[in-house]
Amino acid sequence: MPDSEDVRRIALSLPETVEKVAWEMPTFRVAGKMFVTVPDDETSFAVRCPRHERTELIAAEPEKFWVPPHEAPTAWVRVRLAALDDGDELRDILVDSWKQAAPPRLLESFESSGRPGTGDG
């Protein structure tokens, strides 16, 4: 089962990602835009997710995805670490969120590396 250290390791492997503590929790940013947070209990993490996709994710896998009431107006979703299939699924979720925050120049080089999701771009 992936854990919060896996979240940190994968997030920091993505191009130009930095870790910054905000609201007393680790947050990960690219080009100044946050794309993942790890709340203090470290059993879940939050990622960017368009609202229409978020609704579908929660409906399809409510044991894995949810939104706390205070985050309902945002374009973020929480993910339970214990419900993930493996590290590949974790990487896919983090890369998708990173892509939503990364500037076009990074997306181009990341995609052209031929290995999306590896963090080697």
Side-chain angles (χ1 to χ4, degrees):
M1 171 182 78
D3 62 20
S4 63
E5 283 306 310
D6 294 318
V7 173
R8 174 176 277 110
R9 178 182 51 77
I10 293 168
L12 289 173
S13 77
L14 297 169
E16 298 187 26
T17 295
V18 296
E19 182 175 353
K20 180 179 179 181
V21 174
W23 307 288
E24 300 180 13
M25 70 177 129
T27 68
F28 299 86
R29 301 161 189 250
V30 60
K33 292 183 181 178
M34 212 172 6
F35 70 94
V36 63
T37 66
V38 182
D40 58 3
D41 70 359
E42 297 187 358
T43 62
S44 68
F45 60 99
V47 291
R48 289 175 171 261
C49 184
R51 284 195 208 165
H52 67 281
E53 290 179 24
R54 180 176 78 179
T55 301
E56 293 172 12
L57 283 173
I58 294 168
E61 298 182 272
E63 72 288 349
K64 190 177 292 183
F65 300 102
W66 94 103
V67 177
H70 71 279
E71 293 176 5
T74 70
W76 288 74
V77 68
R78 296 265 184 115
V79 185
R80 290 179 180 88
L81 283 162
L84 293 176
D85 295 331
D86 54 30
D88 289 340
E89 183 179 27
L90 172 60
R91 176 177 291 284
D92 289 346
I93 292 168
L94 293 175
V95 167
D96 185 60
S97 186
W98 178 87
K99 286 179 177 180
Q100 293 175 60
R105 67 174 175 77
L106 278 181
L107 290 174
E108 282 181 27
S109 64
F110 187 74
E111 294 297 335
S112 69
S113 72
R115 296 175 289 178
T118 66
D120 295 336

